[in-house]
């Protein structure tokens, strides 16, 4: 007795690109909203996760990582600069 398997009802394997697309979108959004640390950090984490899980969409994940890392570093430098400027102007605050 032979059994016939119905291959038409089996769903084909579709690779997800959710993490890499999310990382890229958050990288583009972080250009505008980089004053918050949350957007670039979330995009950076999603991009790193996408590198391991989604090898077909590696380019989008790398672009997301680069954009988020640059914006996170820029935000950190601006925050540090504002802090140093505030400390430098502190003696003049009570004149």
């Amino acid at each position: 007795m032979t059994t016939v398997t119905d291959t038409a009802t089996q769903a084909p394997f579709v690779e997800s690109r959710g993490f890499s697309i999310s990382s890229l979108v958050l990288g583009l959004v972080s250009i505008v909203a980089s004053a918050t640390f949350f957007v670039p950090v979330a995009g950076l984490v999603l991009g790193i996760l996408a590198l391991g899980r989604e090898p077909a969409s590696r380019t989008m994940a790398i672009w997301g990582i680069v954009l988020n890392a640059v914006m996170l570093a820029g935000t950190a430098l601006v925050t540090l600069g504002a802090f140093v400027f505030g400390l430098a102007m502190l003696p003049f605050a009570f004149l």
Side-chain angles (χ1 to χ4, degrees), residues 15-21 47 50-51 53-63:
E15 188 169 334
S16 171
R17 295 182 180 191
F19 284 145
S20 58
I21 291 173
L51 280 180
R53 294 183 183 183
E54 303 167 356
S57 57
R58 186 173 177 89
T59 304
M60 283 191 290
I62 290 173
W63 271 106

Side-chain angles (χ1 to χ4, degrees), residues 20-53:
S20 58
I21 291 173
S22 298
S23 174
L24 183 61
V25 167
L26 286 176
L28 293 172
V29 168
S30 71
I31 293 172
V32 176
S34 65
T36 64
F37 283 107
F38 301 113
V39 175
V41 168
L44 192 62
V45 168
L46 286 172
I48 292 170
L49 288 175
L51 280 180
R53 294 183 183 183

